[in-house]
Amino acid sequence: MIGTWLRVTLFLIGSAVAAVTAQAETIVLRGGTLYASADAQALPDAVIVVTDGVVSAVGKSGDIQVPPDARVIDCSGKTIVAGFWNSHVHFTQKVWRNAGAAPAAALTQHMQEMLTRWGFTTVWDLGSDPSDTLPLRKRIVVGEVAGPNILLAGNIFPKGGHPVYIPREVQLPEVATPEEATKWARDWLGMGEDGIKLFTGAFMGDKPVVNMDPAIAKAAVDVAHAQGRPVFAHPQHKVGVETVIESGVDVLAHTTPGEPSYTADQLAQFKAQGTALVPTLSLFTTVVLDPNVTNRLVASTVNQLKQFSENGGTVLFGTDVGFTTLYDTTQEFQLMHRVLSERQVLATLTTNPARFFKAAKKGRVEQGFDADLVVLDGDPLGDVGNLAKVSSTIRAGHVIYQKP
């Protein structure tokens, strides 16, 4: 269905790595327990050598020679895993405005609060102002700002579907015809976005949801797929989910809390089409004040995650952070763990997105792979909450966060 997904995106990632690793130091992580992938056995007392932004050696202490000029990070008592992906974020907060000229220290500080202290080395921004985010990405590439790889998705809304949670003064790309969707998709990708996000359902508060016509969605999907780019979708209820299926969207950007479950036919279609899911479970703890309503929303979305995973679908980690200010990932891990094992949760952060987005050198800690690494204070297979206890985050061989 997807074909040559993300060729251009992976070129951009590769260019970013090349740009920042030209001056990268040699780093050695020594003494920690390594999980080379989500399904790997633990390797205690491991040594990982990073050279020019790439993992150049992996093995047990004593078996690997440590370069004399290396910066050694003592990981004794800690756990090392591959760098984390957050497949649903937004760079829309005030701090990101005029990111091309804003002080780098302020941007790095907020990046730490929002992303890098939680282990994220690659993120999908599913909607922001490209005049801010494209320059931000460039400053990360050249090392001015310490942050993750940023992949961008341009948004398209149905005509009259300006969601109530987006300020009215913000101009949105609303489309009424397939031709308009085609043009917007081409324009977004032409300016350097890496994918498309469709609002197949727009929440209008106390007014009816505005849904996107499947033919309009399909027009945008066709443009993206012709260029090897993925399409995400935000459905609000069953109609939006059906549009995802009918138009061939690749990733559900949310579960749908207004529905108690997916239907058997929907699950069959997801599996046949290779659709992935970003659950964003903790998001639904923030949208209403009534705890009884919150509990119902969480119960339905956790159930959808259970159905989707048991159906064999690819689950991707994402929090909608930037739209929310719930930066701490602990609750998301705990909610996911209601139906997923610790290894399955780790996979949503590492091997699943690397495989799904065709990032062949990411998602594992192996010789020749990109040096995107996370050092954790505890073993995530013993306690899933340890995935939120990050000691160091390393992207492309550079330490972009280290716990004080």
Side-chain angles (χ1 to χ4, degrees), residues 267-275:
L267 290 167
Q269 291 293 327
F270 293 151
K271 189 169 186 177
Q273 297 179 196
T275 309

Side-chain angles (χ1 to χ4, degrees), residues 31-34 41-47 59-61:
T33 296
L34 169 66
Q41 294 301 306
L43 177 66
D45 197 14
V47 172
K60 279 189 70 70
S61 180

Side-chain angles (χ1 to χ4, degrees), residues 6 9-10 13 82-89 119-124 149 151 316-318 347-360 362-364 372 374:
L6 293 189
T9 293
L10 294 178
I13 291 176
F84 294 165
W85 292 58
N86 190 325
S87 296
H88 193 149
V89 310
F120 296 116
T121 57
T122 302
V123 300
W124 267 103
N149 299 311
L151 305 172
L316 308 172
F317 184 87
T348 71
L349 293 154
T350 56
T351 47
N352 286 3
R355 182 176 63 252
F356 191 81
F357 294 117
K358 304 293 190 292
K362 295 187 182 295
R364 304 173 69 89
D372 293 350
V374 179

Side-chain angles (χ1 to χ4, degrees), residues 119-165:
F120 296 116
T121 57
T122 302
V123 300
W124 267 103
D125 169 35
L126 298 191
S128 65
D129 185 341
S131 67
D132 293 326
T133 317
L134 288 171
L136 175 63
R137 175 162 71 177
K138 290 179 181 178
R139 295 183 74 181
I140 291 171
V141 167
V142 300
E144 289 181 17
V145 175
N149 299 311
I150 300 176
L151 305 172
L152 308 172
N155 287 189
I156 301 175
F157 296 79
K159 190 69 174 178
H162 190 125
V164 294
Y165 47 79

Side-chain angles (χ1 to χ4, degrees), residues 10-344:
L10 294 178
F11 172 78
L12 289 170
I13 291 176
S15 299
V17 171
V20 300
T21 57
Q23 302 177 2
E25 60 186 338
T26 299
I27 296 177
V28 172
L29 279 63
R30 183 170 61 191
T33 296
L34 169 66
Y35 291 105
S37 67
D39 58 359
Q41 294 301 306
L43 177 66
D45 197 14
V47 172
I48 301 161
V49 182
V50 172
T51 308
D52 294 332
V54 175
V55 176
S56 55
V58 180
K60 279 189 70 70
S61 180
D63 295 339
I64 302 295
Q65 184 174 357
V66 176
D69 61 341
R71 172 186 175 185
V72 177
I73 299 176
D74 183 7
C75 299
S76 301
K78 302 183 187 299
T79 301
I80 305 163
V81 294
F84 294 165
W85 292 58
N86 190 325
S87 296
H88 193 149
V89 310
H90 295 278
F91 292 100
T92 51
Q93 295 162 307
K94 185 177 180 180
V95 67
W96 307 120
R97 294 176 190 168
N98 194 30
L107 299 177
T108 293
Q109 177 62 34
H110 195 69
M111 195 72 77
Q112 176 177 305
E113 295 170 5
M114 176 175 160
L115 294 168
T116 56
R117 70 161 292 184
W118 308 108
F120 296 116
T121 57
T122 302
V123 300
W124 267 103
D125 169 35
L126 298 191
S128 65
D129 185 341
S131 67
D132 293 326
T133 317
L134 288 171
L136 175 63
R137 175 162 71 177
K138 290 179 181 178
R139 295 183 74 181
I140 291 171
V141 167
V142 300
E144 289 181 17
V145 175
N149 299 311
I150 300 176
L151 305 172
L152 308 172
N155 287 189
I156 301 175
F157 296 79
K159 190 69 174 178
H162 190 125
V164 294
Y165 47 79
I166 298 179
R168 296 305 302 176
E169 63 270 17
V170 176
Q171 298 296 309
L172 300 179
E174 299 178 20
V175 300
T177 67
E179 292 74 21
E180 290 176 347
T182 295
K183 183 180 185 306
W184 266 110
R186 287 174 177 165
D187 288 350
W188 280 130
L189 299 179
M191 73 170 60
E193 303 270 334
D194 306 294
I196 299 296
K197 180 185 177 185
L198 305 175
F199 277 73
T200 57
F203 179 64
M204 308 301 290
D206 56 2
K207 298 178 181 178
V209 170
V210 175
N211 293 299
M212 180 176 286
D213 184 272
I216 293 174
K218 182 67 162 56
V221 169
D222 287 347
V223 170
H225 285 180
Q227 296 188 36
R229 314 295 186 88
V231 180
F232 298 75
H234 174 124
Q236 198 62 40
H237 51 42
K238 181 179 179 180
V239 175
V241 172
E242 294 296 331
T243 296
V244 164
I245 293 169
E246 189 170 341
S247 62
V249 164
D250 305 298
V251 185
L252 288 156
H254 296 285
T255 42
T256 49
E259 302 292 336
S261 62
Y262 295 121
T263 68
D265 183 62
Q266 287 171 341
L267 290 167
Q269 291 293 327
F270 293 151
K271 189 169 186 177
Q273 297 179 196
T275 309
L277 171 67
V278 185
T280 65
L281 302 175
S282 56
L283 167 67
F284 305 112
T285 69
T286 69
V287 294
V288 294
L289 297 177
D290 186 335
N292 292 321
V293 175
T294 295
N295 290 338
R296 289 198 297 272
L297 296 179
V298 169
S300 64
T301 54
V302 168
N303 183 54
Q304 288 170 35
L305 172 60
K306 182 177 187 292
Q307 290 181 296
F308 195 92
S309 176
E310 291 179 349
N311 192 53
T314 297
V315 180
L316 308 172
F317 184 87
T319 55
D320 211 353
V321 68
F323 173 73
T324 77
T325 56
L326 184 58
Y327 302 145
D328 188 335
T329 51
T330 303
Q331 185 179 48
E332 187 72 24
F333 295 138
Q334 292 171 340
L335 291 173
M336 296 177 79
H337 189 232
R338 291 184 182 183
V339 294
L340 301 181
S341 71
E342 291 88 352
R343 287 187 181 274
Q344 286 176 310

